Amino acid sequence: KVLVLGSGGREHALCWAISKSPLCKKLYCIPGNAGIQADAECVDIKINNFNSIKKFIKKKKINFVVVGPEEPLVNGIVDKLNKLKIKTFGPNKKASVLESSKSFTKDFCKRHNISTADYKKFRNYKEAINYIQNINYPIVIKASGLAGGKGVFIIKNKLEAKKTLRNLMIKKKFGSAGTEIIIEDYLLGEEISCLALVDGKNYISLLLSQDHKKIYDNDKGPNTGGMGAYCPLPYLKKNIQSKINKEIIEPTITAMNKEKRPFNGVLYAGLMLVKGKIYLIEYNVRFGDPECQPLIFLLKSDLLRILNNC
Ligand code: AMP
Ligand code: GLY
């Protein structure tokens, strides 16, 4: 008896695949959506209402929970469910910091020699304003905390930089997510998503994929969390996947163990390929939405079996 948490296209893809597994007797989704109803029984409970979720899990004798979105992970739902001895797929709170704090991640990359764009961190508005006076543009300004994929700004000039810093640090448009900000070098290249299923030590990388970031056609408009996705990426050289595994995925899993934050779940590395060199842009600690959709559609193995083994 499996419960999937979430309500997006990602969770529909997960439910679609899990429902086909011979290991799955009954599948529920909280809260689910209209499409998911075709594959799972949707239950109208708010995803942040842990007490009601817990009661439902007990009542239905759920054996396995798969967490879709980042928020419950970052808030420690895996820790809470594990305490109740309910097997759950996803990283615990300590490991989810890879997504919840871009500031942690940038320093983590530096500590462990994982390539990422050069950066500076700021908590003080005036210091940030001083910094942007005499630098080369474009740059990228990011809220350190969770902002649903909308807290990253590609900045072309000083005027834009001032406006963005004001929005983040003074007007607090993203609330506490903007308490700390990152200003980093702009990388021009090919963006790649690599999602690896990790059991703490071992991993399997899924096909490389790419999502359409900008809101409008022809790559116009502001960035979003992803307007659609495709895979595989036919234009990449064959060795790129193994390069990503060696330079990004493996060192990350090893370093997380070293830092006593063993990672279990989907390690999603958002990458930029610049002239053959791979840079880490961000980590997510869950399946990408929408990347999950083409990835799961092409997966030939039994997804539930893999998640359960993780
Ligand atoms: P993030 O949430 O950090 O993945 O950033 C969202 C999106 O902003 C990324 O998927 C990229 O498209 C873009 N982006 C982030 N950092 C950079 C960078 N240093 N250079 C160029 N584009 C970036
Ligand atoms: N598609 C980007 C994300 O899931 O964060």
Side-chain angles (χ1 to χ4, degrees):
K1 290 185 179 174
V2 183
L3 168 66
V4 171
L5 294 178
S7 59
R10 164 181 51 211
E11 286 76 20
H12 192 177
L14 293 174
C15 286
W16 177 81
I18 291 171
S19 70
K20 292 191 189 336
S21 166
L23 295 174
C24 182
K25 252 200 195 154
K26 173 78 190 173
L27 178 60
Y28 299 95
C29 188
I30 290 180
N33 64 33
I36 292 175
Q37 282 178 20
D39 301 297
E41 187 177 326
C42 295
V43 186
D44 189 17
I45 296 176
K46 294 239 161 20
I47 197 163
N48 53 9
N49 184 348
F50 182 73
N51 273 338
S52 297
I53 293 176
K54 186 173 82 181
K55 274 186 202 146
F56 178 80
I57 288 173
K58 293 222 155 132
K59 189 169 137 205
K60 297 293 182 185
K61 299 195 169 65
I62 304 285
N63 311 99
F64 189 49
V65 179
V66 179
V67 186
E70 61 276 20
E71 239 183 279
L73 294 170
V74 164
N75 291 333
I77 194 164
V78 172
D79 311 60
K80 290 184 206 159
L81 290 175
N82 282 346
K83 248 189 208 154
L84 299 168
K85 305 235 175 323
I86 297 156
K87 222 201 278 184
T88 308
F89 179 80
N92 65 15
K93 189 171 176 156
K94 254 182 116 175
S96 301
V97 71
L98 282 182
E99 176 159 2
S100 63
S101 170
K102 288 188 189 295
S103 163
F104 172 89
T105 289
K106 293 300 282 189
D107 293 347
F108 175 88
C109 287
K110 212 176 187 179
R111 280 198 294 282
H112 298 288
N113 282 322
I114 295 167
S115 292
T116 189
D118 280 342
Y119 67 102
K120 288 251 179 327
K121 305 191 296 183
F122 296 93
R123 283 177 174 268
N124 181 295
Y125 173 67
K126 278 199 180 134
E127 283 173 21
I129 287 287
N130 273 342
Y131 177 74
I132 53 120
Q133 301 301 324
N134 293 306
I135 52 169
N136 293 328
Y137 289 86
I139 55 163
V140 184
I141 300 183
K142 304 182 174 186
S144 176
L146 289 186
K150 295 174 184 72
V152 173
F153 304 88
I154 315 278
I155 304 291
K156 289 190 222 69
N157 54 50
K158 204 191 290 183
L159 203 69
E160 275 182 25
K162 276 187 184 160
K163 203 172 122 195
T164 302
L165 289 176
R166 212 177 142 67
N167 281 340
L168 287 171
M169 301 181 92
I170 302 291
K171 293 191 182 164
K172 305 231 170 280
K173 282 213 169 155
F174 291 93
S176 62
T179 302
E180 185 168 27
I181 61 123
I182 320 277
I183 301 183
E184 67 178 44
D185 290 352
Y186 174 75
L187 299 173
L188 182 61
E190 196 62 50
E191 213 170 329
I192 304 171
S193 301
C194 176
L195 282 72
L197 294 158
V198 188
D199 75 353
K201 280 189 186 150
N202 311 289
Y203 72 95
I204 308 168
S205 290
L206 299 176
L207 290 173
L208 299 177
S209 63
Q210 190 176 62
D211 66 346
H212 305 286
K213 278 273 173 241
K214 305 276 187 176
I215 194 163
Y216 305 124
D217 286 347
N218 303 314
D219 265 350
K220 297 260 159 56
N223 269 342
T224 65
M227 301 298 291
Y230 68 103
C231 75
L233 309 182
Y235 45 80
L236 290 182
K237 289 206 178 112
K238 283 229 165 65
N239 67 342
I240 294 293
Q241 176 75 74
S242 66
K243 220 168 134 70
I244 292 170
N245 289 345
K246 291 272 172 299
E247 292 176 17
I248 308 280
I249 303 294
E250 288 171 24
T252 302
I253 296 170
T254 307
M256 286 297 275
N257 277 309
K258 261 194 203 145
E259 297 202 359
K260 309 243 170 333
R261 297 173 188 270
F263 190 93
N264 206 301
V266 180
L267 178 65
Y268 167 146
L271 307 162
M272 193 73 85
L273 181 64
V274 186
K275 295 182 189 144
K277 193 168 156 53
I278 293 154
Y279 293 84
L280 184 97
I281 296 269
E282 66 158 350
Y283 291 116
N284 294 315
V285 297
R286 40 143 185 105
F287 282 101
D289 195 355
E291 290 94 327
C292 187
Q293 300 172 49
L295 284 171
I296 297 294
F297 208 70
L298 292 175
L299 186 74
K300 288 182 184 145
S301 321
D302 179 343
L303 178 70
L304 181 56
R305 198 185 157 90
I306 307 176
L307 301 185
N308 189 51
N309 285 348
C310 281

